[in-house]
Amino acid sequence: MTRITTGAMSRTTLLSIIIGFTKLESALGQCFQDPDTNAEWAQIINNDTTSTEFSIEGSCCQETVCGLGCAEETPPPAKGFGIAVMVAIAFFVVVGFASVFVIKGKSENFFVAGRSLPLWVITATLASQSIDSNALLGCSTLSYKYHFWDGACLPVGLGCSLILNSIFLARHINRDGALTLPDVFAKRYGKLVEVMVSICTITSFLCLLAGNLVGMGAILSYLLSISPEGAIWMSAALVFAYTVAGGLYSVAYTDVLQAAVGWLGCMTLAFYSIANEENKAPPPSIGFPSYMYPDDATCEMYDGVPCENDATACCYNTEKWCPSDDNCVVDNGAYPFGDQRIFHDQMTNAHSLTPFPNAVVFNWATIFVLAFGN
């Protein structure tokens, strides 16, 4: 097989080489958001210059494009697990409804719990926000799929907002006797600003609530084998019912219970997973002719040889692993040219994720927006 100098390859040539060493099976459809890129891949995979979609059944996009196995189907929940969760939800709802007896018809009790919540309740209420369905499922998924900071930027931003609020705003809100944040602006800037702040607050929290309801719906849908839409409506009805019944009292005291259960469950699951989960990470890529190894350890593992275009670098050993076209041990490598370690300085290195703008920009933007706008 002829050696190929990677530096001189066009994008199409590189795609052809990588795809040639990948198991190519894909369901009909698109794997790339950009139609031109999707068509380019489809033409290579289908060996048809007129193709615009993938047409080989029996696989998935990540296997077609990256050579990674398709995700396994989620197993059904253990017998009785859904019932246990529903019993817990019913208990939380009862606690929320019980809070109606401490409101006594006073708006201050409903909106700010009479300004009498003890520190430990407030602490547990704020802590429970970090284990809601939006943060717990969403942030952990982002960190797992992409990078630690992609999931961590949300709790970091929220934490900064709490610190800034406690330092600069809390005493003024208590001194004014305000029930809601728009009340603070109304007393200083008038009715128009109050309405504008109200619209902004409602809009932003609708987005937050939507994320939480989707997360709750995903859990209930899985446990009860119902449609995601039905599970979301069920979640919305439950939360609405006990919040309306008990106001901040119901939110605070149900948060205390949910925080206790949630943190205990998170810690137990984390320690159990660490202790019992096997390392399923694949070995470093062996590559293909002219593939450049990223480090000395991988080079030694596969008996690499000096590269033709750079004798100081280590490349795939064609004589050992691919002596002929019908006798090759290859894989599609790691895109673009090696198993690059994750940038430890992702949040400070503008070149860690290219092209620009990239996740670094959006992560910092998320932290800034949450810290100063939440």
Side-chain angles (χ1 to χ4, degrees):
M1 179 177 287
T2 305
R3 284 182 177 270
I4 303 172
T5 305
T6 56
M9 287 191 296
S10 67
R11 180 172 63 159
T12 303
T13 305
L14 176 59
L15 294 178
S16 302
I17 295 171
I18 293 176
I19 288 298
F21 302 131
T22 308
K23 180 183 178 182
L24 303 177
E25 297 176 13
S26 174
L28 177 66
Q30 283 194 260
C31 290
F32 294 90
Q33 186 175 6
D34 178 57
D36 293 335
T37 304
N38 193 80
E40 184 177 2
W41 277 85
Q43 291 167 13
I44 296 170
I45 293 171
N46 300 334
N47 195 25
D48 181 358
T49 57
T50 63
S51 295
T52 58
E53 293 183 320
F54 301 100
S55 58
I56 306 174
E57 298 181 356
S59 188
C60 59
C61 286
Q62 70 180 33
E63 186 174 33
T64 299
V65 177
C66 304
L68 303 175
C70 298
E72 297 180 4
E73 292 186 7
T74 304
K79 186 177 181 180
F81 189 69
I83 297 176
V85 172
M86 291 305 298
V87 170
I89 292 175
F91 177 70
F92 295 142
V93 172
V94 170
V95 171
F97 275 105
S99 302
V100 72
F101 297 106
V102 298
I103 293 178
K104 301 177 182 179
K106 295 181 179 179
S107 60
E108 187 175 50
N109 288 341
F110 184 88
F111 285 104
V112 292
R115 306 184 193 278
S116 61
L117 291 177
L119 179 62
W120 68 272
V121 173
I122 296 174
T123 302
T125 298
L126 293 175
S128 70
Q129 307 308 309
S130 64
I131 53 173
D132 63 8
S133 56
N134 192 28
L136 183 61
L137 300 181
C139 293
S140 58
T141 300
L142 287 172
S143 290
Y144 176 78
K145 281 187 173 182
Y146 305 109
H147 191 282
F148 169 78
W149 284 107
D150 294 318
C153 61
L154 189 145
V156 168
L158 291 177
C160 291
S161 75
L162 293 176
I163 294 173
L164 293 173
N165 275 309
S166 64
I167 294 174
F168 298 106
L169 295 178
R171 65 181 182 273
H172 300 293
I173 294 175
N174 284 325
R175 185 182 61 203
D176 291 346
L179 297 180
T180 63
L181 186 60
D183 286 346
V184 179
F185 288 89
K187 292 183 177 182
R188 285 170 170 76
Y189 306 109
K191 193 69 176 178
L192 177 61
V193 175
E194 179 187 18
V195 172
M196 293 174 62
V197 172
S198 298
I199 294 173
C200 292
T201 302
I202 292 172
T203 302
S204 65
F205 277 90
L206 276 176
C207 297
L208 179 63
L209 177 62
N212 281 321
L213 290 179
V214 169
M216 294 170 64
I219 295 173
L220 291 179
S221 174
Y222 169 69
L223 293 176
L224 304 179
S225 299
I226 60 178
S227 69
E229 294 80 6
I232 291 173
W233 281 109
M234 180 187 297
S235 302
L238 291 172
V239 173
F240 176 81
Y242 76 70
T243 301
V244 170
L248 186 59
Y249 272 117
S250 67
V251 173
Y253 285 102
T254 53
D255 277 351
V256 170
L257 296 174
Q258 292 166 0
V261 174
W263 278 108
L264 178 62
C266 286
M267 297 301 293
T268 302
L269 178 62
F271 281 109
Y272 177 84
S273 299
I274 293 172
N276 294 279
E277 187 66 18
E278 298 179 359
N279 183 4
K280 299 179 180 179
S285 296
I286 188 173
F288 45 82
S290 294
Y291 179 88
M292 185 180 297
Y293 292 119
D295 51 49
D296 293 338
T298 309
C299 176
E300 293 176 4
M301 179 184 297
Y302 297 120
D303 295 325
V305 297
C307 299
E308 287 188 353
N309 59 333
D310 184 358
T312 62
C314 182
C315 282
Y316 177 89
N317 190 336
T318 304
E319 293 183 1
K320 178 174 182 177
W321 301 113
C322 192
S324 62
D325 290 347
D326 58 353
N327 183 23
C328 269
V329 179
V330 294
D331 60 24
N332 65 321
Y335 181 83
F337 300 119
D339 301 293
Q340 302 292 333
R341 62 174 296 184
I342 295 176
F343 283 86
H344 65 280
D345 57 350
Q346 177 187 334
M347 294 295 286
T348 57
N349 184 348
H351 301 289
S352 60
L353 295 172
T354 56
F356 183 89
N358 49 46
V360 179
V361 177
F362 297 119
N363 285 346
W364 277 114
T366 299
I367 293 175
F368 180 83
V369 169
L370 290 175
F372 294 97
N374 192 43

